Amino acid sequence: MQELLGRLRQLDPTASASLRVIACFDELMAGGVGTDGLLSAAAALSGSVVGVRRAENAPAIRIGTQGERLEAAAPTGIVRESNGMTVWIEAPSTDAGPNEAIIIERLVLALHVRYDHVDAPLKRDISVIVDHDMAAEDRVAAARRRGLKDGVAYRVVVAPLFALWRTHPRGPEDVVASAVGPVHVAIVAADAAPVASPLGVGIASDLNDLDLSFRTALVCLRLAEPGTVSRADDLGGLAEILADTPANARPDRDEAAVARLVAAHAWARATLDALMQAGSVREAARLAGIHHSTMTTRVAVIADELGLAPLDGLGRARLAVAVMRHRMRASRALELPPPRAKTSGRPLSA
């Protein structure tokens, strides 16, 4: 699939975008995602409010681009009628471009599949389970409703809506609004190994701490390199420290210094990564593939900018936190839209 997308991107960006939309909805349908989750995905993909009304006299459900429920309103924009159901994308124009056309087509199909298999949409328990602001008893009750068991360890995994899954998660899943946008969330057994490109895997926890597992998974997703699976276990306690950092937190002094280094020196990011992994300047030079004397010079530049010795004591910990906070802020893992279409219509946004 990834190879096909790459070849199509060179020939027809619109076709590439269509395949990505189809893949996204196929994954959501395979996971049994509810009505709100499907609408959230369509809203995120189209960049517009999306709505559905199951029958003429039924209440309308409208979802915003951040996955939030909005007040009911009459259909407007691009409207599709299908077997008594009305689905719409509140786009500026009533004429669907290639992006809107494929989104609404797949959304209508997904909703029909959803309603054909389940009499009423499931409650959106996943967003409750992973919400740190919800009362603990409400989170645990929601987890039990979705079949999760007391005394069993689980992990939350988080992927962008456009992730390409090689091993699909087995467990309850949904599209959930987060501080950095809508994400595909699944709760799996602690020893499960779902694989997606990219994917963030949270810490193992019981029903009481699945909200923390979600936040550490989101940290890992933001730290993930393209095409990789990033795991909270590899970060240890740093995962929880970073999880407690608000998405819009002001850069502290150390992070600001790292940002200046990365902006000023092409070698900074690779060198900083090597220093975080190494126990000495010589080992860092080996990891970075440069001469020891070159690394020594770079370490002096870094130490001068940061005001600390990056390989000594507390300086090492400060460096690691600052570099990871900078990488999270600069992350593009959740900003992977398909290529801009050549024909009319607005580009998709992830």
Side-chain angles (χ1 to χ4, degrees), residues 177-198:
S178 77
V180 292
V183 290
H184 187 169
V185 174
I187 303 173
V188 301
D191 59 355
V195 179
S197 174

Side-chain angles (χ1 to χ4, degrees), residues 2-341:
Q2 185 63 55
E3 180 182 355
L4 175 60
L5 288 173
R7 284 187 278 125
L8 280 172
R9 188 175 297 114
Q10 301 300 319
L11 301 174
D12 186 350
T14 301
S16 180
S18 299
L19 273 180
R20 286 174 179 260
V21 172
I22 291 169
C24 174
F25 277 102
D26 283 352
E27 292 296 339
L28 296 175
M29 284 188 284
V33 170
T35 300
D36 284 41
L38 295 171
L39 294 178
S40 294
L45 297 173
S46 66
S48 301
V49 174
V50 173
V52 62
R53 190 172 58 202
R54 291 187 64 177
E56 183 176 353
N57 297 320
I61 300 174
R62 295 172 67 238
I63 300 293
T65 57
Q66 296 301 312
E68 73 280 17
R69 272 228 187 189
L70 305 174
E71 292 185 4
T76 185
I78 301 165
V79 182
R80 293 287 184 273
E81 304 283 348
S82 178
N83 296 330
M85 180 176 67
T86 304
V87 180
W88 65 95
I89 298 175
E90 297 181 14
S93 171
T94 58
D95 296 325
N99 296 332
E100 290 88 357
I102 190 66
I103 291 169
I104 202 165
E105 171 193 316
R106 302 307 292 186
L107 177 60
V108 168
L109 173 62
L111 288 170
H112 275 308
V113 170
R114 179 70 184 145
Y115 296 148
D116 287 345
H117 284 79
V118 180
D119 292 335
L122 292 171
K123 294 180 179 179
R124 300 202 69 197
D125 288 325
I126 305 303
S127 60
V128 174
I129 294 169
V130 301
D131 188 348
H132 179 64
D133 294 327
M134 295 292 294
E137 56 267 27
D138 292 335
R139 288 189 275 106
V140 171
R144 290 169 178 157
R145 282 197 299 269
R146 296 308 301 265
L148 303 181
K149 305 297 184 182
D150 293 282
V152 176
Y154 298 95
R155 296 182 193 271
V156 177
V157 297
V158 179
L161 298 183
F162 282 121
L164 298 176
W165 293 86
R166 294 198 300 275
T167 304
H168 197 279
R170 291 189 174 184
E173 57 188 314
D174 201 348
V175 175
V176 172
S178 77
V180 292
V183 290
H184 187 169
V185 174
I187 303 173
V188 301
D191 59 355
V195 179
S197 174
L199 184 70
V201 181
I203 63 169
S205 66
D206 61 17
L207 302 191
N208 294 287
D209 292 317
L210 288 173
D211 61 313
L212 178 58
S213 185
F214 168 70
R215 288 186 287 125
T216 57
L218 196 59
V219 163
C220 290
L221 178 59
R222 295 172 69 190
L223 291 173
E225 297 294 337
T228 66
V229 176
S230 176
R231 295 178 172 83
D233 286 355
D234 294 334
L235 299 177
L238 280 175
E240 296 188 32
I241 292 173
L242 295 168
D244 289 332
T245 302
N248 59 350
R250 176 186 62 82
D252 61 18
R253 187 183 72 179
D254 292 346
E255 184 188 347
V258 167
R260 290 193 298 271
L261 284 165
V262 171
H265 304 286
W267 49 259
R269 175 166 179 169
T271 301
L272 290 167
D273 286 346
L275 288 173
M276 287 197 302
Q277 299 175 53
S280 67
V281 172
R282 189 171 299 278
E283 183 182 1
R286 181 183 59 79
L287 292 172
I290 60 176
H291 194 272
H292 174 261
S293 62
T294 303
M295 179 59 75
T296 300
T297 301
R298 292 182 182 181
V299 169
V301 173
I302 291 169
D304 183 62
E305 186 67 61
L306 288 169
L308 56 84
L311 288 176
D312 294 343
L314 190 58
R316 176 186 293 278
R318 286 175 58 184
L319 175 69
V321 173
V323 170
M324 290 185 180
R325 287 186 63 176
H326 172 72
R327 285 176 55 188
M328 287 172 59
R329 194 180 302 277
S331 172
R332 302 298 298 269
L334 289 164
E335 300 176 7
L336 297 172
R340 183 181 296 272

